[in-house]
Amino acid sequence: MAASLSVVFSVLFLLSVVVGAPQKPANEVRLGSSLSPTTNSTSWVSPSGLFAFGFYRKGRSGFAVGIWLVGKPENYVVWTANRDDPPVSSDATIEFTWDGKLLLRAKQGNFVLYDNESISIWESFKLPTDTILGGQYIDLGSQLVSSKSRQDRSSGTYCLSLQENGKRLVSCPVNSMFNPKDSIKGISMPLNCYWSATRQGGEYYFSALQLNRRGGLYLITSEADAYTLFNSTYYHKNKTIIYRATLDADGVLRLYSHSFRTSGGFTMSVEWSAIKNLCDVTGICGFNSSCSGNNGARANCSCLPGFVFTNPDDKSLFCYKNICHKEDCIIRKEPAILSHNITSLDYMSWGGTPYSVLKTSQENCCKSCLEDCRCKAALYFDQKLQQI
């Protein structure tokens, strides 16, 4: 397991060159420095004391390498190296043995490698995971990918990116597909995307999503203009506040503030959320289930009629048909009798593209679906039957 860790840092150290800097900044990591999960030197802390780089626990017995906001009693991870690799073991080490300067910038949470000309040649800000910090941005070539959970920082289900044509910022399930017909119509929104931000009126093309150090979240246009998603009005010169924008595990982009206390640790608050109702997030509930909520922070998942949860303890997973399997019927020596009916659910919406749309009455809606062997569900809306 220790060998896999060396792969993480070969990217950093293969880029380093011989240095002979006349002055050593206070946040320099000295040659010969090392970190280990089981020693007193588990991390390098920035001079401000707000950020640290090093090992943090991943799972029950493993560790990962990343950057976190230093808190009491709990830190908050904002970046992870090789997030989808297995955890490293307790005997892993990070050794800075090659010539070079490895710096942790004081208040930004950016881990930077400089050459002997003091030019940045690698930095963690250029490789975001699920979070951007103040002074950081994502451009047309990068994206945020949610973590699986607060505890599991490996890649999750959702991504946030600027579309290739720069017209909008979108949140989608990972690997969402484009509809070719939409491209002909000039619509570049991938299928299953559930949130977007764009500027109405005129031809605007965005080049980056940027978070400034005062909590302003902006879409930057190609003309260096800015479209505001959120602009923080709170400023206190006697307090230290760190802002971060995170695509959370539930697929929602949120802006957080961390107000650091003089006694240590921080108070975390949600300043802005892209989505108010979690049921708007595609796939927040699993297959064959529905979502209900009241613009709150929780999504209530329920199985559709005729289905049950595959795991009642985790209702975000899919539901399966609660019917008699052929093998069970043979064992009981009972005939497999199949009957069909339709259960009506009011105030429901359904994603996806129907294979058939018919203008009919509500009375004929159920009858039409029952007579079509391909029909699994029918949505009656605006005097039209949509068969799915």
Side-chain angles (χ1 to χ4, degrees), residues 231-298:
N231 191 15
S232 176
T233 58
Y234 179 78
Y235 176 69
H236 200 298
K237 64 180 181 180
N238 295 324
K239 279 191 175 182
T240 299
I241 300 177
I242 299 294
Y243 293 93
R244 64 176 172 89
T246 298
L247 184 64
D248 285 325
D250 59 11
V252 179
L253 177 67
R254 295 183 178 90
L255 178 65
Y256 295 87
S257 65
H258 296 258
S259 180
F260 284 81
R261 300 182 290 268
T262 55
S263 58
F266 52 75
T267 300
M268 183 176 71
S269 302
V270 177
E271 302 291 338
W272 174 82
S273 178
I275 291 177
K276 303 301 182 185
N277 189 345
L278 279 179
C279 290
D280 291 338
V281 178
T282 302
I284 193 67
C285 295
F287 289 117
N288 303 318
S289 63
S290 62
C291 177
S292 61
N294 188 23
N295 293 342
R298 294 180 60 86

Side-chain angles (χ1 to χ4, degrees), residues 137-316:
Y137 63 89
I138 59 172
D139 55 21
L140 287 171
S142 57
Q143 64 179 357
L144 298 182
V145 177
S146 64
S147 295
K148 287 185 177 179
S149 67
R150 173 79 178 268
Q151 293 72 34
D152 186 350
R153 312 299 300 192
S154 55
S155 297
T157 307
Y158 301 100
C159 64
L160 175 84
S161 64
L162 288 163
Q163 291 307 103
E164 291 182 0
N165 60 12
K167 287 189 175 181
R168 57 169 58 88
L169 178 73
V170 296
S171 294
C172 318
V174 174
N175 298 326
S176 293
M177 301 296 292
F178 284 90
N179 187 340
K181 294 182 180 179
D182 288 343
S183 298
I184 296 175
K185 300 175 184 177
I187 302 173
S188 58
M189 188 90 154
L191 293 173
N192 296 327
C193 289
Y194 51 87
W195 178 82
S196 68
T198 188
R199 193 170 186 173
Q200 302 297 327
E203 290 293 328
Y204 293 97
Y205 299 94
F206 300 119
S207 59
L209 171 69
Q210 185 176 43
L211 174 64
N212 69 22
R213 295 184 181 88
R214 291 195 176 185
L217 190 61
Y218 307 100
L219 283 167
I220 308 301
T221 68
S222 54
E223 290 79 22
D225 191 11
Y227 171 65
T228 303
L229 294 177
F230 178 82
N231 191 15
S232 176
T233 58
Y234 179 78
Y235 176 69
H236 200 298
K237 64 180 181 180
N238 295 324
K239 279 191 175 182
T240 299
I241 300 177
I242 299 294
Y243 293 93
R244 64 176 172 89
T246 298
L247 184 64
D248 285 325
D250 59 11
V252 179
L253 177 67
R254 295 183 178 90
L255 178 65
Y256 295 87
S257 65
H258 296 258
S259 180
F260 284 81
R261 300 182 290 268
T262 55
S263 58
F266 52 75
T267 300
M268 183 176 71
S269 302
V270 177
E271 302 291 338
W272 174 82
S273 178
I275 291 177
K276 303 301 182 185
N277 189 345
L278 279 179
C279 290
D280 291 338
V281 178
T282 302
I284 193 67
C285 295
F287 289 117
N288 303 318
S289 63
S290 62
C291 177
S292 61
N294 188 23
N295 293 342
R298 294 180 60 86
N300 300 315
C301 300
S302 304
C303 290
L304 297 175
F307 294 81
V308 295
F309 286 110
T310 183
N311 182 358
D313 294 328
D314 187 354
K315 294 187 177 181
S316 64

Side-chain angles (χ1 to χ4, degrees), residues 360-368 380:
T360 185
S361 64
Q362 187 171 354
E363 290 73 18
N364 289 331
C365 179
C366 294
K367 182 174 181 292
S368 177
Y380 187 78

Side-chain angles (χ1 to χ4, degrees), residues 366-381:
C366 294
K367 182 174 181 292
S368 177
C369 186
L370 285 172
E371 292 175 350
D372 186 346
C373 63
R374 299 173 298 170
C375 184
K376 303 299 182 183
L379 179 67
Y380 187 78
F381 176 75

Side-chain angles (χ1 to χ4, degrees), residues 51 68 117 134 206 242 267 338 346 351 356 375:
F51 292 94
W68 58 86
E117 301 294 333
F206 300 119
I242 299 294
T267 300
L338 298 177
D346 296 329
S356 174
C375 184

